[in-house]
Amino acid sequence: MAIHRVFSDQRLTLDQTSLSITGEQAHHAARVKRVVTGDVVDVLDGQGSMARCRVTETRKIRGEMVISLSVERLETAPEPSPWVHVASATPKADRASWMIEQLAQVGCAAWSPLQTMRGVVDPGETKVERLLRISTESAKQCGRPWLMQIAEPLTLKQALTKAGVTVLLADETGKPAMEAAKLGQFQAGAAVAAGPVKRPVRFLVLIGPEGGWTPQELELADGAPGGPVGRIALGPHVQRIETAAVVATALLMQFAGR
């Protein structure tokens, strides 16, 4: 029997022996999944911790469902490695929802809307909130302890100058994914050699709009302050935004993974 997973809006701690789940998470667990006293559930906090818990009580307090849990075991996981942040033009309609769901499942660490010259969709606050809910549900489904972030929008200039990451621009003229992944590993190795703190290999992958990058945008990437931005090729065929985002993440997770 599959164990139901719920999200906690509070960070889990190693010395924690009990906790309570309220709101939408509690309602879904009790009313949809029919969780009852004695059942075992996994609680994720989206920040690397997962607790195996047993339900001690389900009740309503002032009309709100509350599930009380005793913690039987708590585990912590390191940050995703490699750490892949996708910044892309926003796909139209439900394609954005599909993209977020799949990115969370393949291990993407964060997604940002990318402002491009040919982009036509500007996600508003309501849509961003919906994408965050989808990210949460997808994390529950696949059991990932780190929630995929829905990050702030980026301009191309901001993305090209972002510190602490290897920036890769998806383009048909780019290197195969295996070679592009090695670039990030080389830079991460240099950082580790310079200091005692070991960090995951970090990528920021830029995915353009349906109409592709403009010559001006490619010039901007070639003239980035840190030197020309690396380009990554994702296959022989033209891909939609959401397809390219998922393919890029999956390839980097495979070729730059430890």
Side-chain angles (χ1 to χ4, degrees):
M1 180 178 177
I3 295 177
H4 183 61
R5 301 186 185 100
V6 296
F7 254 84
S8 170
D9 57 4
Q10 297 180 354
R11 188 160 192 170
L12 301 175
T13 59
L14 290 173
D15 59 351
Q16 196 156 4
T17 59
S18 63
L19 59 96
S20 295
I21 302 297
T22 59
E24 184 180 332
Q25 292 290 314
H27 177 82
H28 185 265
R31 296 295 182 233
V32 179
K33 294 298 182 179
R34 304 294 182 184
V35 169
V36 296
T37 300
D39 284 352
V40 174
V41 299
D42 284 338
V43 179
L44 310 171
D45 68 359
Q47 300 179 72
S49 296
M50 180 169 68
R52 176 63 55 87
C53 301
R54 192 168 297 276
V55 178
T56 56
E57 185 180 30
T58 61
R59 57 178 173 153
K60 276 193 172 183
I61 300 177
R62 292 187 290 276
E64 181 179 53
M65 180 62 66
V66 178
I67 299 179
S68 299
L69 304 163
S70 64
V71 178
E72 297 186 344
R73 184 177 75 247
L74 190 141
E75 300 173 349
T76 59
E79 282 188 287
S81 182
W83 192 92
V84 180
H85 181 169
V86 172
S88 76
T90 305
K92 297 177 182 178
D94 288 341
R95 288 163 47 201
S97 301
W98 182 91
M99 177 182 69
I100 296 302
E101 182 180 37
Q102 303 306 313
L103 283 175
Q105 290 182 30
V106 297
C108 183
W111 174 80
S112 288
L114 181 66
Q115 297 172 12
T116 62
M117 296 181 74
R118 290 174 176 164
V120 295
V121 178
D122 183 16
E125 185 177 342
T126 301
K127 185 166 188 175
V128 168
E129 290 175 355
R130 181 168 182 268
L131 296 180
L132 181 57
R133 288 198 300 272
I134 291 171
S135 173
T136 302
E137 290 305 310
S138 190
K140 284 168 56 180
Q141 182 272 323
C142 64
R144 57 177 289 173
W146 287 90
L147 182 65
M148 187 183 83
Q149 305 164 23
I150 305 298
E152 293 294 318
L154 292 172
T155 65
L156 183 58
K157 185 175 181 180
Q158 287 172 329
L160 294 173
T161 56
K162 199 166 181 64
V165 295
T166 297
V167 181
L168 296 174
L169 183 143
D171 186 75
E172 61 183 4
T173 63
K175 295 181 179 180
M178 184 179 292
E179 292 183 37
K182 288 179 181 177
L183 175 63
Q185 289 173 316
F186 173 79
Q187 293 184 354
V192 169
V197 179
K198 230 177 183 183
R199 299 197 171 193
V201 179
R202 289 177 173 259
F203 293 98
L204 174 60
V205 185
L206 310 181
I207 309 291
E210 298 281 322
W213 303 107
T214 65
Q216 296 95 321
E217 288 172 327
L218 293 176
E219 277 185 33
L220 191 63
D222 289 339
V229 168
R231 300 187 188 184
I232 180 172
L234 302 178
H237 307 299
V238 176
Q239 299 173 6
R240 284 188 160 181
I241 298 166
E242 64 275 21
T243 306
V246 175
V247 168
T249 301
L251 289 173
L252 289 173
M253 293 296 291
Q254 178 182 6
F255 292 129
R258 294 179 179 172

